[in-house]
Amino acid sequence: MNTILEVKNLTKKYKDKKVLDNINLKIFKGDIYGFIGPNGAGKTTTIKTILGLLKPSKGEVYIEGKNVLKEKENNPSNIGAMIDYPSFYQNLTGYKNLMLYANVLGLDSKRINEVLEMVSLKDAKNKKVSSYSMGMKQRLAVARAFLSNPKIVILDEPTNGLDPEGVKDMRNLIKKLAQNGDITFIYCSHILNEVQNLCNRVAMINKGKIVREDSMDNLLNSDKEQYNITTFQRNKLKKLLKNKVLKMKDIEKGLFIEIKKGDFKVVNKIIGEENIEIIDISKNSNSLEDYFMKEVGL
């Protein structure tokens, strides 16, 4: 895997308060990389530092091997961002809003139609932004992030204020652009189910420190399954399942087990052959939200 963005020992202090504490991140080309944490954890500070909007107390940010904080000429035109609530001139059309931004960046105006096509807004380009729905404004903000033809795009809460259909449209848009445009995304959101469904890797930040950075599969132990078995014959079942499961512990009125994915047929066979009377069996779902709540102590 090719590393496209790396953050090393990023630290930010305001007077005596350490907002970021030796942040280390590694993002690979083509990732849809989730960046999550509670309010005030340091997500926005990290993002703004990567973008060069904030100067760190110490640390380095490398994009395609170039130190973008120390070498100003390397300050990335190949990184786009949508952070905070998207702000536009309401009385101008979507096209003219992007034209103003393109002029500031010194970009060719033909790129405007390309990005409007990417986000399915070409038919609405001559309408005033004041007439746009929230979803259309969010998509226009994504188009603006793509104007400089970036290799990395940072999206901070891109589904804020969207209805379920708008959330689905945004998710599909990101997946399409990641697949077709060879784009790497950093996706920040409080909607953890959305992060779980969309992202292939994730970093969790809390109190200015990275709690965990891993693939989504590893984080959620997707190669394992957990079950709660309610039975009055717990002790007998424990003996039968010894050396057949990865983990096992007593719970109220039964037994908790963790097994390799697909191995429940072995457990079920033992229960049947030994005539264990079962009251209930429930499978525990592995979710990013559960892991998050456990790690950050909420």
Side-chain angles (χ1 to χ4, degrees), residues 1-4 26-36 153 171 174-175 178-179 182-188 192-204 212-222 288:
M1 291 184 288
N2 295 326
T3 302
I4 192 168
K26 186 174 283 191
I27 299 170
F28 302 117
K29 187 177 181 181
D31 274 346
I32 303 179
Y33 185 95
F35 192 39
I36 61 174
V153 173
R171 183 200 310 141
I174 292 167
K175 285 182 176 179
Q179 290 170 357
D182 197 24
I183 306 297
T184 299
F185 284 94
I186 300 174
Y187 185 88
C188 307
L192 299 186
N193 183 57
E194 196 65 28
V195 175
Q196 182 175 336
N197 290 333
L198 185 62
C199 301
N200 66 302
R201 298 182 65 241
V202 66
M204 192 177 299
R212 179 85 179 264
E213 183 193 34
D214 211 333
S215 71
M216 192 67 72
D217 284 346
N218 286 341
L219 194 71
L220 300 180
N221 290 318
S222 62
L288 183 60

Side-chain angles (χ1 to χ4, degrees), residues 8-24:
K8 291 185 176 182
N9 303 316
L10 200 64
T11 299
K12 180 66 177 177
K13 292 180 180 178
Y14 290 106
K15 296 183 179 179
D16 294 329
K17 185 178 180 182
K18 192 178 282 188
V19 180
L20 299 180
D21 188 357
N22 286 308
I23 298 293
N24 289 282

Side-chain angles (χ1 to χ4, degrees), residues 238 241-242 245-250 255-258:
K238 282 173 69 175
L241 293 181
K242 189 178 180 180
V245 300
L246 301 173
K247 289 181 183 178
M248 182 166 52
K249 68 178 180 180
D250 292 348
L255 200 62
F256 163 87
I257 62 169
E258 183 175 88

Side-chain angles (χ1 to χ4, degrees), residues 22 94 97 100 106 114 117 123 165-166 169 171 197 228 244 262:
N22 286 308
N97 266 280
L100 288 172
E114 291 175 4
E117 181 74 36
D123 290 342
E165 185 178 357
D169 288 345
R171 183 200 310 141
N197 290 333
N228 292 331
K244 304 288 186 183

Side-chain angles (χ1 to χ4, degrees), residues 51-95:
L51 291 169
L53 302 176
L54 286 177
K55 185 178 180 181
S57 302
K58 73 168 188 176
E60 299 166 327
V61 176
Y62 293 91
I63 296 179
E64 296 188 311
K66 297 176 181 178
N67 190 326
V68 298
L69 298 182
K70 289 185 178 179
E71 303 173 43
K72 294 297 182 182
E73 66 272 16
N74 289 329
N75 227 0
S77 61
N78 57 353
I79 184 166
M82 170 188 165
I83 57 175
D84 302 322
Y85 182 81
S87 177
F88 295 101
Y89 292 103
Q90 298 296 307
N91 290 323
L92 295 181
T93 65
Y95 184 92

Side-chain angles (χ1 to χ4, degrees), residues 142-192:
V142 173
R144 184 169 61 188
F146 272 91
L147 268 177
S148 62
N149 203 21
K151 297 178 180 178
I152 304 167
V153 173
I154 299 175
L155 301 177
D156 190 11
E157 303 292 348
T159 59
N160 264 0
L162 299 185
D163 60 20
E165 185 178 357
V167 171
K168 182 180 177 181
D169 288 345
M170 183 63 70
R171 183 200 310 141
N172 290 339
L173 173 64
I174 292 167
K175 285 182 176 179
K176 182 183 76 172
L177 295 176
Q179 290 170 357
N180 298 341
D182 197 24
I183 306 297
T184 299
F185 284 94
I186 300 174
Y187 185 88
C188 307
S189 177
H190 286 94
I191 306 174
L192 299 186

Side-chain angles (χ1 to χ4, degrees), residues 246-298:
L246 301 173
K247 289 181 183 178
M248 182 166 52
K249 68 178 180 180
D250 292 348
I251 58 173
E252 186 179 2
K253 297 180 181 179
L255 200 62
F256 163 87
I257 62 169
E258 183 175 88
I259 58 176
K260 290 181 180 178
K261 189 172 184 178
D263 274 3
F264 188 73
K265 57 183 179 292
V266 176
V267 176
N268 198 41
K269 183 179 179 182
I270 291 171
I271 290 172
E273 289 178 347
E274 298 296 332
N275 295 315
I276 302 294
E277 186 178 347
I278 299 297
I279 299 168
D280 184 55
I281 298 177
S282 61
K283 183 178 179 181
N284 296 341
S285 62
N286 294 334
S287 76
L288 183 60
E289 183 174 0
D290 291 339
Y291 187 90
F292 176 82
M293 300 292 271
K294 181 177 69 175
E295 287 296 322
V296 303
L298 294 176

